[in-house]
Amino acid sequence: MEASKVIHAIYTDDDVLMSAVKKVKAERHHIEEIYTPFPVHGLDKAMGLAPTRIAITAFMYGLVGLTVAITMMNFIMIEDWPQNIGGKPSFSYIENMPAFVPIMFELTVFFAAHLMVITFYLRSRMWPFKEAENPDPRTTDDHFLMEIAVHGNESELENLLKETGAVEINLVDKAH
Amino acid sequence: MYTFSKKLKTFSIILMVLGLLGVGFGFITSHKSFEQVEHLLAEEESHHGGGHGAASHEATSNHDTHAVDTHAKSGHADAGVDTHKKHVEHVQHQIANRPWSALYVAAFFFMMIALGVLAFYAIQIASQAGWSPVLFRVMEGITAYLLPGALIVLAIAVASGTIGHYNIFIWMDPEVVADDKLIQGKSAWLNIWGFTIRGLIFIGGWSLYRHFARKFSIAQDTAEDKSNFKKSFRITAGFLVFFIYTESMMSWDWIMSVDPHWFSTLFGWYVFASMFVSGITVIALVTIYLKSKGHLEFVNENHLHDVAKFMFAISIFWTYLWFSQFMLIWYSNIPEEVTYFVTRFQAYKLPFLGMVVMNFVFPLLLLMNADYKRIPWFVVMAGLVILFGHYIDIFNMIMPATVGDRWFIGIPEISSILLFAGLFIFVVFTALTKAPLLVKGYPFRKESEDFHY
């Protein structure tokens, strides 16, 4: 395994960071990762990240929840043991449907919300005993860090990053 | 400044003329003599076969208001009451009610759009919204219809009980009240003088707010300081309190009292949700129209996105209230209140269930996607379906109580819609020409112009 090098450029202002990202992208360098202490609006667009599809998964999870609710109550209340409970019409699902709507609604929301959160954890690789991947603890407080891979163009990159207003530029060995 | 295009003006006038002709036709053809109705019923009987005729008869007699109606008309008759005579007179009354109700439903529908927009406008000012000020003049234009529209609704309601033969509100008929203990108990509220005076107070309050909000808004355009904005903010807070009380009472008076034996506690909210979502939809439609003509260059797709979000959210809010009202009554199934839905289920199945599809399922699926909310033609399509759905909603509130199973969406209904649509377009777009389409001095104007979602 060969150790490759990355440059860590550190900024102290999100506006400076944004313009730096635009400049680095304009020079056609690939940004590996950016670490920020809080969401910076428009950063994903500036970096050219693909939009998230998590809303689409949530919609499909909701449909699953709705199906579960309908199948479950149809089996229990209509097919398995259609009792007369207080005169409610248990002859077919549609006839007694208004009574089932609260459960249909709640299960739809339950499935959509929980499965979407779990999807988010899986895709972001987050779990309780996960080792933190923070290159510099200051990025959780008031510093912004941009990581760019180096392919033998260190001095060119360093000059470019200095121009963009980086307060600190470190060359780091990164084990793969 | 916007100028009312000649084409649109002609279009609105054509709508009004066509509508008037159709409404006149509806009134002329609805006066049927006893013999004519008798003949009509006999024809229907032979056409449909006995079974169906009996079923539809059963459906109408389930409706308490009409049971009262026919009961009162034959109250003076002897014990050997001629049920045939009662039935024919009942149907005769229903047929005569139809053009009145058609006119009333359409008048109320367009009035409630203007009222819904006024409520939305007030909420935007009270919440100091930063996205909507570029749409304020559009909203002010639409609310110009409120005063004439609400007066027309009140006039039709009162006329139906004075000029007409109690064609919408059965409690206006002294003969019915004399025989009906339930209405007698409510007559302290349900009497024609109280109805008129309350109506005038509601309309007066709403119109006063509209007048001053508009005045301060225009004064702020050229003002040096923010005093007009502050005044407008203060009266808005007062108006919203006034509105929520009067809107509730208006819905009892103008809609719920067509079924004077029935009552529901969340009815005011339900009517409010209907008017709110229709109003927001019309804001979107007028905005898209004006923008397509190049009059609103400061409105961008982000504003459209926000309006469409409101259409989506309030559609669901409406459904929530509709379902809450329906399910609570269906579940407990208390005879005195469940008749309301029994009539609607027996004689109005298609409009009753179709309205839920148009007002809920359709906007839910169409407007859920964030990208679709930014496409004008998509929002227009969804908006037209929502508007039609809410027309049917009002139709379902009024018609079962007045025409029963004799309903149809034919010439009287469509003409009434055309008449008020024409009037609405004429009044709204005339009002839009009276002031610049951008609020100049409003403190949040810049934020709104730069609004980005």
Side-chain angles (χ1 to χ4, degrees):
Chain A
M1 279 287 219
E2 177 196 21
S4 69
K5 288 182 174 175
V6 291
I7 281 186
H8 282 172
I10 294 178
Y11 299 87
T12 50
D13 188 292
D14 49 341
D15 286 334
V16 178
L17 174 77
M18 280 293 282
S19 60
V21 169
K22 281 171 194 157
K23 214 174 219 167
V24 172
K25 288 298 279 184
E27 298 283 332
R28 310 190 129 271
H29 291 291
H30 178 69
I31 299 171
E32 294 272 305
E33 193 63 87
I34 292 180
Y35 297 87
T36 65
F38 52 77
V40 177
H41 287 285
L43 188 60
D44 52 340
K45 283 229 174 71
M47 286 171 74
L49 298 181
T52 172
R53 287 170 297 187
I54 201 153
I56 300 169
T57 67
F59 179 73
M60 292 191 293
Y61 295 146
L63 292 182
V64 172
L66 186 62
T67 315
V68 168
I70 293 172
T71 321
M72 180 180 80
M73 287 184 293
N74 185 47
F75 177 71
I76 297 172
M77 303 300 291
I78 310 295
E79 285 173 9
D80 191 35
W81 195 358
Q83 286 187 101
N84 182 342
I85 304 166
K88 284 278 159 286
S90 297
F91 307 108
S92 71
Y93 190 79
I94 199 74
E95 270 179 293
N96 209 0
M97 201 206 46
F100 302 146
V101 166
I103 298 161
M104 285 154 67
F105 171 77
E106 293 295 347
L107 280 186
T108 307
V109 174
F110 180 87
F111 272 65
H114 288 84
L115 291 181
M116 178 176 81
V117 168
I118 293 168
T119 306
F120 169 72
Y121 286 154
L122 290 176
R123 291 290 288 137
S124 323
R125 299 165 191 282
M126 279 160 59
W127 57 87
F129 299 103
K130 154 105 172 174
E131 206 179 316
E133 296 170 354
N134 195 349
D136 190 322
R138 290 174 299 170
T139 59
T140 62
D141 185 10
D142 59 350
H143 283 65
F144 304 82
L145 189 150
M146 188 196 298
E147 183 179 290
I148 300 172
V150 179
H151 304 287
N153 51 354
E154 295 149 47
S155 55
E156 183 205 338
L157 260 178
E158 263 175 44
N159 286 336
L160 175 68
L161 289 172
K162 246 179 215 140
E163 262 176 55
T164 60
V167 292
E168 204 179 305
I169 296 170
N170 304 321
L171 193 62
V172 184
D173 279 331
K174 198 175 181 183
H176 270 279
Chain B
M1 290 290 261
Y2 168 71
T3 46
F4 197 170
S5 78
K6 266 237 163 62
K7 247 186 178 162
L8 193 65
K9 195 178 241 170
T10 327
F11 177 66
S12 70
I13 290 167
I14 291 172
L15 284 182
M16 281 189 270
V17 172
L18 276 180
L20 262 182
L21 288 176
V23 168
F25 174 80
F27 274 99
I28 292 163
T29 52
S30 68
H31 283 289
K32 299 227 189 293
S33 68
F34 188 86
E35 286 72 29
Q36 278 173 310
V37 177
E38 210 170 21
H39 183 68
L40 183 91
L41 284 172
E43 233 174 31
E44 278 178 18
E45 202 84 1
S46 63
H47 189 71
H48 292 298
H52 185 80
S56 71
H57 182 73
E58 197 179 21
T60 49
S61 61
N62 259 327
H63 196 250
D64 56 345
T65 314
H66 292 290
V68 169
D69 178 19
T70 44
H71 181 64
K73 289 233 158 52
S74 53
H76 46 76
D78 293 316
V81 190
D82 185 4
T83 48
H84 171 71
K85 183 167 170 279
K86 275 209 305 190
H87 179 53
V88 173
E89 273 176 355
H90 173 63
V91 173
Q92 188 184 8
H93 192 60
Q94 286 184 331
I95 292 173
N97 288 348
R98 193 175 151 200
W100 282 97
S101 306
L103 199 64
Y104 189 68
V105 170
F108 186 87
F109 176 69
F110 284 96
M111 184 286 291
M112 87 174 184
I113 289 174
L115 188 55
V117 172
L118 190 66
F120 188 73
Y121 176 73
I123 289 170
Q124 299 303 308
I125 291 180
S127 62
Q128 306 200 351
W131 67 276
S132 51
V134 293
L135 301 175
F136 276 2
R137 283 291 145 80
V138 173
M139 298 184 206
E140 285 166 16
I142 297 170
T143 53
Y145 181 75
L146 182 61
L147 180 60
L151 285 175
I152 291 169
V153 173
L154 190 64
I156 297 172
V158 173
S160 80
T162 48
I163 303 168
H165 196 76
Y166 318 112
N167 294 90
I168 302 173
F169 300 99
I170 204 78
W171 54 263
M172 287 183 182
D173 188 345
E175 273 183 48
V176 170
V177 179
D179 238 28
D180 190 317
K181 276 252 157 34
L182 276 174
I183 303 183
Q184 278 168 24
K186 296 180 182 182
S187 58
W189 181 274
L190 290 181
N191 58 77
I192 199 152
W193 276 106
F195 180 90
T196 316
I197 292 166
R198 281 194 305 274
L200 289 175
I201 293 172
F202 305 155
I203 297 171
W206 303 334
S207 307
L208 269 182
Y209 168 70
R210 197 265 164 192
H211 172 79
F212 283 106
R214 168 81 163 174
K215 194 179 135 193
F216 294 147
S217 170
I218 287 173
Q220 185 67 61
D221 275 1
T222 49
E224 305 273 308
D225 56 5
K226 302 285 176 243
S227 61
N228 289 296
F229 162 70
K230 285 180 189 161
K231 276 190 265 182
S232 156
F233 182 78
R234 277 191 211 112
I235 60 167
T236 300
F239 165 73
L240 283 171
V241 176
F242 177 80
F243 172 77
I244 206 60
Y245 283 103
T246 49
E247 189 275 333
S248 243
M249 287 191 259
M250 177 276 283
S251 73
W252 308 336
D253 268 1
W254 296 4
I255 296 188
M256 200 157 80
S257 78
V258 294
D259 287 293
H261 283 185
W262 182 80
F263 47 87
S264 163
T265 40
L266 60 68
F267 197 75
W269 277 107
Y270 172 55
V271 174
F272 169 73
S274 209
M275 68 168 65
F276 205 47
V277 68
S278 315
I280 293 165
T281 305
V282 171
I283 295 174
L285 295 183
V286 175
T287 306
I288 291 170
Y289 170 77
L290 288 175
K291 183 155 174 66
S292 75
K293 298 283 172 200
H295 297 294
L296 297 174
E297 67 283 351
F298 40 83
V299 172
N300 58 43
E301 55 176 14
N302 296 295
H303 299 104
L304 183 65
H305 189 149
D306 261 31
V307 178
K309 263 193 268 187
F310 269 104
M311 284 161 62
F312 175 72
I314 308 297
S315 281
I316 291 168
F317 177 64
W318 174 88
T319 315
Y320 165 64
L321 292 175
W322 171 81
F323 183 71
S324 301
Q325 178 170 281
F326 170 72
M327 198 262 241
L328 288 181
I329 290 174
W330 173 86
Y331 207 102
S332 56
N333 204 17
I334 300 171
E336 68 197 53
E337 50 181 32
V338 86
T339 48
Y340 185 81
F341 287 113
V342 169
T343 350
R344 279 156 184 79
F345 245 88
Q346 281 174 343
Y348 288 75
K349 200 164 242 161
L350 180 67
F352 188 72
L353 297 174
M355 143 186 115
V356 182
V357 174
M358 284 190 288
N359 291 342
F360 174 60
V361 181
F362 198 81
L364 178 82
L365 295 176
L366 282 195
L367 293 177
M368 194 186 295
N369 190 319
D371 295 330
Y372 293 170
K373 286 197 273 268
R374 307 170 83 84
I375 306 171
W377 66 266
F378 220 91
V379 176
V380 169
M381 244 181 47
L384 290 176
V385 173
I386 291 175
L387 280 185
F388 187 61
H390 284 281
Y391 170 78
I392 299 290
D393 188 16
I394 306 299
F395 187 86
N396 278 331
M397 293 179 193
I398 303 287
M399 288 296 181
T402 53
V403 302
D405 60 350
R406 301 262 142 204
W407 70 276
F408 190 69
I409 297 191
I411 291 175
E413 286 80 10
I414 294 170
S415 312
S416 307
I417 297 175
L418 294 184
L419 170 64
F420 288 108
L423 188 66
F424 184 83
I425 293 172
F426 188 81
V427 172
V428 169
F429 284 87
T430 307
L432 284 171
T433 60
K434 299 277 165 67
L437 288 177
L438 179 61
V439 278
K440 284 240 174 48
Y442 194 77
F444 299 105
R445 186 206 66 172
K446 185 77 177 74
E447 180 182 344
S448 177
E449 277 183 293
D450 296 338
F451 173 69
H452 176 79
Y453 162 69

